[in-house]
Amino acid sequence: MNTSLTRLFAHAKQKSEKLAMISLYDAPSATLSCDAGADILLVGDSMGNAILGHDGTVPVTMDAMLHHTGAVVRGVKNSSHPETPVVSDIPFGGFATVERAVENASMLMRAGASAIKLERAGEGTLAAARVLVEMGVPVVGHLGYTPQSAGRFEGVVQGKSTEAATRLLEDAKRLEDAGAFAVVLEVVPTEVAKRTTAELAISTIGIGAGPHCDAQVLVWHDLVGFSEEKPFRFVKQYADVYETMKDASAGFVEEVRSGAFPAPEHGWRMDEEEYRRWENGG
Ligand code: KIV
Protein backbone atom coordinates (compact mmCIF):
# COMPACT_ATOMS: atom_id res chain seq x y z
CA MET A 1 0.00 0.00 0.00
CA ASN A 2 1.29 3.49 -0.86
CA THR A 3 1.02 4.77 2.68
CA SER A 4 2.38 8.23 1.84
CA LEU A 5 -0.71 8.88 -0.30
CA THR A 6 -3.22 7.59 2.23
CA ARG A 7 -1.33 9.40 5.00
CA LEU A 8 -1.44 12.64 2.98
CA PHE A 9 -5.25 12.45 2.91
CA ALA A 10 -5.67 11.30 6.50
CA HIS A 11 -3.32 13.99 7.79
CA ALA A 12 -5.02 16.74 5.78
CA LYS A 13 -8.47 15.66 7.01
CA GLN A 14 -7.28 15.59 10.60
CA LYS A 15 -5.81 19.10 10.26
CA SER A 16 -8.75 20.41 8.16
CA GLU A 17 -6.29 21.29 5.39
CA LYS A 18 -7.80 21.29 1.90
CA LEU A 19 -6.12 19.29 -0.86
CA ALA A 20 -6.11 20.29 -4.54
CA MET A 21 -6.33 17.56 -7.18
CA ILE A 22 -6.12 18.16 -10.94
CA SER A 23 -7.38 15.74 -13.57
CA LEU A 24 -5.09 15.74 -16.63
CA TYR A 25 -3.65 13.44 -19.25
CA ASP A 26 -0.20 14.42 -20.49
CA ALA A 27 3.36 15.11 -19.39
CA PRO A 28 3.58 18.91 -19.80
CA SER A 29 0.32 19.62 -17.94
CA ALA A 30 1.45 17.21 -15.21
CA THR A 31 4.82 18.93 -14.85
CA LEU A 32 3.34 22.41 -14.68
CA SER A 33 0.56 21.36 -12.28
CA CYS A 34 3.10 19.82 -9.90
CA ASP A 35 5.28 22.93 -10.24
CA ALA A 36 2.14 24.94 -9.39
CA GLY A 37 1.75 22.94 -6.18
CA ALA A 38 -1.09 20.49 -6.92
CA ASP A 39 -1.27 17.89 -4.13
CA ILE A 40 -2.46 14.96 -6.26
CA LEU A 41 -3.06 14.35 -9.97
CA LEU A 42 -5.81 12.25 -11.48
CA VAL A 43 -5.60 10.62 -14.89
CA GLY A 44 -9.35 10.72 -15.36
CA ASP A 45 -11.37 8.96 -18.02
CA SER A 46 -12.76 12.46 -18.64
CA MET A 47 -10.00 12.35 -21.27
CA GLY A 48 -12.79 10.90 -23.46
CA ASN A 49 -14.44 14.34 -23.63
CA ALA A 50 -11.48 16.57 -22.91
CA ILE A 51 -8.91 15.34 -25.44
CA LEU A 52 -10.14 12.31 -27.39
CA GLY A 53 -13.14 13.93 -29.08
CA HIS A 54 -15.81 11.61 -27.62
CA ASP A 55 -18.99 12.89 -26.01
CA GLY A 56 -18.52 10.80 -22.87
CA THR A 57 -16.17 8.52 -20.97
CA VAL A 58 -17.58 5.14 -22.08
CA PRO A 59 -15.34 4.80 -25.19
CA VAL A 60 -12.15 5.26 -23.14
CA THR A 61 -10.09 2.04 -23.14
CA MET A 62 -7.52 0.57 -20.78
CA ASP A 63 -4.91 1.09 -23.51
CA ALA A 64 -5.67 4.81 -23.45
CA MET A 65 -5.57 4.89 -19.64
CA LEU A 66 -2.18 3.17 -19.60
CA HIS A 67 -0.75 5.38 -22.34
CA HIS A 68 -1.79 8.59 -20.58
CA THR A 69 -0.93 7.35 -17.08
CA GLY A 70 2.63 6.72 -18.30
CA ALA A 71 2.81 10.23 -19.78
CA VAL A 72 1.53 11.87 -16.58
CA VAL A 73 3.89 9.85 -14.38
CA ARG A 74 6.85 10.94 -16.55
CA GLY A 75 5.66 14.55 -16.34
CA VAL A 76 5.51 14.33 -12.54
CA LYS A 77 9.06 12.93 -12.40
CA ASN A 78 10.31 15.92 -14.43
CA SER A 79 8.64 18.41 -12.09
CA SER A 80 9.88 20.16 -8.97
CA HIS A 81 7.62 17.81 -6.93
CA PRO A 82 8.45 14.34 -8.31
CA GLU A 83 6.75 12.65 -5.35
CA THR A 84 3.26 13.96 -6.29
CA PRO A 85 0.87 10.96 -6.32
CA VAL A 86 -1.07 10.01 -9.44
CA VAL A 87 -4.50 8.36 -9.25
CA SER A 88 -5.79 6.60 -12.41
CA ASP A 89 -9.34 5.73 -13.39
CA ILE A 90 -10.30 2.17 -14.28
CA PRO A 91 -12.49 2.87 -17.31
CA PHE A 92 -15.96 1.64 -18.27
CA GLY A 93 -16.28 -2.16 -18.03
CA GLY A 94 -12.81 -2.44 -16.52
CA PHE A 95 -14.02 -3.57 -13.07
CA ALA A 96 -17.12 -5.53 -14.13
CA THR A 97 -15.55 -8.57 -12.49
CA VAL A 98 -13.07 -8.74 -9.64
CA GLU A 99 -10.58 -10.55 -11.93
CA ARG A 100 -10.74 -7.77 -14.50
CA ALA A 101 -10.37 -5.12 -11.79
CA VAL A 102 -7.28 -6.87 -10.41
CA GLU A 103 -5.72 -7.16 -13.87
CA ASN A 104 -6.44 -3.55 -14.81
CA ALA A 105 -5.42 -2.07 -11.46
CA SER A 106 -2.17 -4.07 -11.62
CA MET A 107 -1.39 -2.66 -15.08
CA LEU A 108 -2.10 0.92 -13.93
CA MET A 109 0.09 0.48 -10.85
CA ARG A 110 2.87 -0.94 -13.04
CA ALA A 111 2.51 2.14 -15.27
CA GLY A 112 3.28 4.26 -12.20
CA ALA A 113 -0.12 5.06 -10.65
CA SER A 114 -0.18 5.39 -6.85
CA ALA A 115 -3.90 4.54 -6.58
CA ILE A 116 -6.92 3.75 -8.74
CA LYS A 117 -10.46 5.15 -8.89
CA LEU A 118 -13.68 3.18 -9.37
CA GLU A 119 -17.15 4.64 -10.03
CA ARG A 120 -20.33 3.79 -8.05
CA ALA A 121 -20.84 1.52 -5.05
CA GLY A 122 -22.73 -1.52 -6.33
CA GLU A 123 -21.85 -4.99 -5.08
CA GLY A 124 -19.40 -5.53 -7.96
CA THR A 125 -17.54 -2.28 -7.31
CA LEU A 126 -17.39 -2.96 -3.57
CA ALA A 127 -16.10 -6.51 -4.13
CA ALA A 128 -13.42 -5.17 -6.49
CA ALA A 129 -12.48 -2.44 -4.00
CA ARG A 130 -12.12 -4.97 -1.16
CA VAL A 131 -9.82 -7.24 -3.15
CA LEU A 132 -7.70 -4.35 -4.46
CA VAL A 133 -7.26 -2.89 -0.97
CA GLU A 134 -6.33 -6.35 0.31
CA MET A 135 -3.69 -6.51 -2.47
CA GLY A 136 -2.29 -3.17 -1.35
CA VAL A 137 -3.82 -0.99 -4.08
CA PRO A 138 -5.16 2.29 -2.63
CA VAL A 139 -8.72 2.84 -3.90
CA VAL A 140 -10.69 6.06 -4.46
CA GLY A 141 -14.48 5.75 -4.88
CA HIS A 142 -16.68 8.01 -7.02
CA LEU A 143 -20.33 8.80 -6.25
CA GLY A 144 -22.98 11.30 -7.31
CA TYR A 145 -22.84 11.99 -11.04
CA THR A 146 -20.77 9.11 -12.36
CA PRO A 147 -20.07 9.70 -16.07
CA GLN A 148 -19.60 5.98 -16.90
CA SER A 149 -23.33 5.50 -16.19
CA ALA A 150 -24.47 8.90 -17.48
CA GLY A 151 -27.30 7.24 -19.42
CA ARG A 152 -28.99 6.24 -16.15
CA PHE A 153 -29.36 9.76 -14.83
CA GLU A 154 -32.25 12.09 -15.51
CA GLY A 155 -30.59 15.27 -14.33
CA VAL A 156 -27.02 16.12 -13.56
CA VAL A 157 -27.29 16.95 -9.85
CA GLN A 158 -27.50 13.77 -7.73
CA GLY A 159 -28.74 13.33 -4.14
CA LYS A 160 -31.32 16.12 -4.20
CA SER A 161 -34.17 14.22 -2.51
CA THR A 162 -34.05 12.89 1.07
CA GLU A 163 -34.02 9.30 -0.25
CA ALA A 164 -31.27 9.97 -2.79
CA ALA A 165 -29.17 11.86 -0.22
CA THR A 166 -29.51 8.97 2.26
CA ARG A 167 -28.54 6.45 -0.45
CA LEU A 168 -25.49 8.48 -1.35
CA LEU A 169 -24.38 8.74 2.28
CA GLU A 170 -24.85 4.98 2.74
CA ASP A 171 -22.92 4.25 -0.45
CA ALA A 172 -20.07 6.45 0.77
CA LYS A 173 -20.00 4.49 4.04
CA ARG A 174 -19.99 1.20 2.10
CA LEU A 175 -16.96 2.40 0.14
CA GLU A 176 -15.27 3.38 3.39
CA ASP A 177 -16.02 -0.09 4.83
CA ALA A 178 -14.62 -1.67 1.65
CA GLY A 179 -11.32 0.10 2.37
CA ALA A 180 -11.39 3.13 0.03
CA PHE A 181 -9.27 5.98 1.39
CA ALA A 182 -11.24 8.74 -0.38
CA VAL A 183 -14.41 9.24 -2.38
CA VAL A 184 -15.12 11.72 -5.17
CA LEU A 185 -18.51 13.42 -4.84
CA GLU A 186 -19.54 14.75 -8.25
CA VAL A 187 -22.35 17.29 -8.65
CA VAL A 188 -24.19 16.76 -5.39
CA PRO A 189 -25.85 19.42 -3.21
CA THR A 190 -23.55 21.23 -0.79
CA GLU A 191 -25.54 19.92 2.21
CA VAL A 192 -25.08 16.30 1.13
CA ALA A 193 -21.34 16.75 0.62
CA LYS A 194 -21.02 18.53 3.96
CA ARG A 195 -22.75 15.76 5.93
CA THR A 196 -20.94 13.00 4.04
CA THR A 197 -17.60 14.69 4.75
CA ALA A 198 -18.48 15.01 8.44
CA GLU A 199 -19.70 11.41 8.83
CA LEU A 200 -16.85 9.71 6.98
CA ALA A 201 -13.45 9.06 8.49
CA ILE A 202 -12.03 8.94 4.93
CA SER A 203 -11.69 12.03 2.72
CA THR A 204 -14.17 13.45 0.26
CA ILE A 205 -13.01 15.01 -3.00
CA GLY A 206 -15.59 17.41 -4.40
CA ILE A 207 -16.37 18.47 -7.94
CA GLY A 208 -19.55 20.53 -8.07
CA ALA A 209 -20.17 19.53 -4.44
CA GLY A 210 -19.58 22.80 -2.58
CA PRO A 211 -16.82 23.97 -0.27
CA HIS A 212 -17.02 21.46 2.60
CA CYS A 213 -15.24 18.51 0.97
CA ASP A 214 -11.77 17.63 2.18
CA ALA A 215 -10.33 18.09 -1.30
CA GLN A 216 -11.42 19.65 -4.59
CA VAL A 217 -10.80 18.37 -8.10
CA LEU A 218 -11.18 20.04 -11.50
CA VAL A 219 -10.23 18.95 -14.99
CA TRP A 220 -7.12 20.90 -16.06
CA HIS A 221 -8.55 21.68 -19.51
CA ASP A 222 -11.58 23.26 -17.80
CA LEU A 223 -9.69 25.33 -15.26
CA VAL A 224 -7.29 26.78 -17.83
CA GLY A 225 -10.09 27.41 -20.37
CA PHE A 226 -8.73 25.00 -23.00
CA SER A 227 -12.05 24.57 -24.76
CA GLU A 228 -14.40 26.56 -26.92
CA GLU A 229 -17.41 25.10 -25.11
CA LYS A 230 -19.07 26.77 -22.16
CA PRO A 231 -17.93 24.93 -19.03
CA PHE A 232 -20.25 23.42 -16.42
CA ARG A 233 -21.42 25.75 -13.68
CA PHE A 234 -19.14 24.07 -11.13
CA VAL A 235 -16.03 24.97 -13.12
CA LYS A 236 -14.07 28.10 -12.39
CA GLN A 237 -11.91 29.13 -15.33
CA TYR A 238 -8.66 30.66 -14.14
CA ALA A 239 -7.48 31.51 -17.67
CA ASP A 240 -8.65 31.53 -21.28
CA VAL A 241 -5.89 29.61 -23.02
CA TYR A 242 -8.20 28.61 -25.89
CA GLU A 243 -8.20 32.18 -27.25
CA THR A 244 -4.48 32.61 -26.59
CA MET A 245 -3.65 29.37 -28.41
CA LYS A 246 -6.06 30.10 -31.26
CA ASP A 247 -4.42 33.51 -31.76
CA ALA A 248 -0.97 31.90 -31.76
CA SER A 249 -2.07 29.30 -34.34
CA ALA A 250 -3.67 31.99 -36.51
CA GLY A 251 -0.46 34.04 -36.28
CA PHE A 252 1.58 31.10 -37.59
CA VAL A 253 -0.84 30.42 -40.46
CA GLU A 254 -0.85 34.08 -41.46
CA GLU A 255 2.94 34.44 -41.38
CA VAL A 256 3.49 31.25 -43.39
CA ARG A 257 1.13 32.63 -46.04
CA SER A 258 2.74 36.08 -46.03
CA GLY A 259 6.30 34.69 -45.97
CA ALA A 260 7.09 36.46 -42.66
CA PHE A 261 7.90 33.08 -41.11
CA PRO A 262 10.49 31.65 -41.01
CA ALA A 263 12.78 34.69 -40.55
CA PRO A 264 16.61 34.46 -40.84
CA GLU A 265 16.92 33.83 -37.09
CA HIS A 266 14.86 30.63 -37.39
CA GLY A 267 17.33 28.99 -39.79
CA TRP A 268 21.03 28.25 -40.31
CA ARG A 269 23.54 29.48 -42.91
CA MET A 270 26.49 27.68 -44.45
CA ASP A 271 29.92 29.03 -43.79
CA GLU A 272 30.48 31.66 -46.55
CA GLU A 273 33.59 30.00 -47.97
CA GLU A 274 31.98 26.55 -47.97
CA TYR A 275 29.01 28.01 -49.73
CA ARG A 276 31.17 29.61 -52.46
CA ARG A 277 33.04 26.33 -53.00
CA TRP A 278 29.83 24.41 -53.16
CA GLU A 279 28.28 26.88 -55.65
CA ASN A 280 31.39 26.59 -57.80
CA GLY A 281 31.01 22.85 -58.04
CA GLY A 282 32.87 21.73 -54.90
O1 KIV B 1 -12.46 11.55 -15.05
C1 KIV B 1 -12.27 12.54 -14.29
O2 KIV B 1 -11.54 13.48 -14.59
C2 KIV B 1 -12.97 12.50 -13.00
C3 KIV B 1 -12.97 13.75 -12.19
C4 KIV B 1 -13.75 14.81 -12.83
C5 KIV B 1 -13.39 13.48 -10.79
O3 KIV B 1 -13.52 11.50 -12.65
Side-chain angles (χ1 to χ4, degrees):
M1 176 76 79
N2 183 331
T3 48
S4 61
L5 170 60
T6 51
R7 254 192 277 122
L8 169 73
F9 275 88
H11 186 256
K13 180 150 186 141
Q14 197 191 0
K15 298 257 174 205
S16 299
E17 285 167 6
K18 304 280 186 187
L19 296 175
M21 180 188 228
I22 301 181
S23 182
L24 43 74
Y25 327 104
D26 63 30
S29 62
T31 305
L32 73 84
S33 295
C34 292
D35 289 347
D39 297 295
I40 326 109
L41 303 184
L42 169 67
V43 187
D45 60 359
S46 54
M47 73 174 72
N49 311 68
I51 60 163
L52 298 180
H54 297 298
D55 59 5
T57 62
V58 170
V60 177
T61 61
M62 262 310 289
D63 280 350
M65 290 308 306
L66 288 168
H67 185 74
H68 290 277
T69 296
V72 168
V73 167
R74 288 188 290 277
V76 171
K77 288 208 178 106
N78 286 331
S79 77
S80 53
H81 295 282
E83 74 295 341
T84 308
V86 174
V87 180
S88 282
D89 265 332
I90 299 192
F92 179 73
F95 49 98
T97 63
V98 171
E99 291 71 24
R100 218 183 287 171
V102 168
E103 194 182 317
N104 290 333
S106 305
M107 287 195 283
L108 289 168
M109 298 296 279
R110 281 198 285 271
S114 311
I116 60 88
K117 179 163 79 60
L118 304 170
E119 290 190 5
R120 303 182 309 281
E123 276 317 311
T125 306
L126 293 171
R130 273 186 221 105
V131 172
L132 293 178
V133 171
E134 167 69 25
M135 280 169 62
V137 177
V139 170
V140 179
H142 187 156
L143 298 173
Y145 187 82
T146 45
Q148 290 177 14
S149 39
R152 286 180 10 187
F153 299 126
E154 272 184 15
V156 177
V157 187
Q158 303 301 304
K160 275 167 88 176
S161 67
T162 302
E163 295 74 21
T166 303
R167 218 174 313 122
L168 194 139
L169 181 57
E170 286 170 0
D171 281 349
K173 289 181 178 172
R174 277 191 205 103
L175 281 164
E176 176 170 271
D177 290 344
F181 72 93
V183 57
V184 170
L185 300 178
E186 180 160 352
V187 207
V188 305
T190 299
E191 298 83 349
V192 176
K194 184 178 182 189
R195 182 161 164 197
T196 308
T197 303
E199 293 200 16
L200 292 186
I202 61 171
S203 304
T204 56
I205 306 170
I207 175 161
H212 303 290
C213 294
D214 299 303
Q216 296 288 332
V217 58
L218 281 180
V219 168
W220 182 76
H221 288 68
D222 291 341
L223 76 90
V224 299
F226 195 165
S227 169
E228 200 187 13
E229 280 171 29
K230 190 175 162 7
F232 289 114
R233 166 174 157 178
F234 58 75
V235 171
K236 179 166 178 185
Q237 275 189 342
Y238 291 84
D240 184 3
V241 301
Y242 186 87
E243 281 307 318
T244 305
M245 293 196 297
K246 197 171 89 180
D247 288 350
S249 303
F252 169 69
V253 171
E254 200 180 298
E255 291 201 350
V256 168
R257 288 183 183 148
S258 72
F261 178 84
E265 67 267 26
H266 301 120
W268 290 264
R269 303 292 302 268
M270 285 177 85
D271 177 83
E272 201 130 325
E273 204 173 313
E274 288 298 315
Y275 176 60
R276 258 199 309 274
R277 273 182 55 215
W278 185 56
E279 281 290 276
N280 293 331

